[in-house]
Amino acid sequence: MNDISGAGQLLHSLPKGEHLVADRGYDARWLRDASVKRGVIPCIPPIKNRKARPSYDAVLYRKRHKIENMFFKLKDWRRIAMRYD
């Protein structure tokens, strides 16, 4: 099961925010429409083969990458702290 299948169920339980930042795997019209209906601006880059390419904030999307790198480092430190290596 892919992640976007559960995104529709989780979208309504998320706290109110200004932006929805997600990767290309979450590029679906229904997800964009649902977030706009809640008053949230989607920041999702379009998939490569999409004909109508919606715009997104590239600067905000780059910040998402920094956050993902931080989670990667936390997981790596946990591996060392728990002596998995």
Side-chain angles (χ1 to χ4, degrees):
M1 182 177 191
N2 55 12
D3 292 339
I4 196 167
S5 301
Q9 297 169 354
L10 291 176
L11 186 64
H12 301 291
S13 63
L14 290 176
K16 181 78 170 161
E18 196 171 322
H19 294 280
L20 172 67
V21 183
D23 62 358
R24 282 190 169 96
Y26 292 92
D27 182 28
R29 182 176 291 147
W30 65 266
L31 185 59
R32 290 178 185 274
D33 292 342
S35 65
V36 169
K37 189 189 297 184
R38 290 193 68 205
V40 178
I41 302 167
C43 181
I44 306 169
I47 56 176
K48 300 282 186 184
N49 62 354
R50 190 172 181 141
K51 292 179 183 174
R53 295 174 144 298
S55 62
Y56 70 99
D57 186 1
V59 175
L60 180 64
Y61 186 74
R62 276 188 232 124
K63 291 179 183 178
R64 175 192 161 273
H65 178 69
K66 289 182 180 182
I67 293 169
E68 286 210 4
N69 285 346
M70 188 237 1
F71 278 110
F72 173 74
K73 288 178 183 177
L74 286 174
K75 287 180 182 179
D76 192 41
W77 292 335
R78 178 182 175 265
R79 179 176 50 99
I80 294 168
M82 302 305 271
R83 298 185 181 158
Y84 292 144
D85 275 348

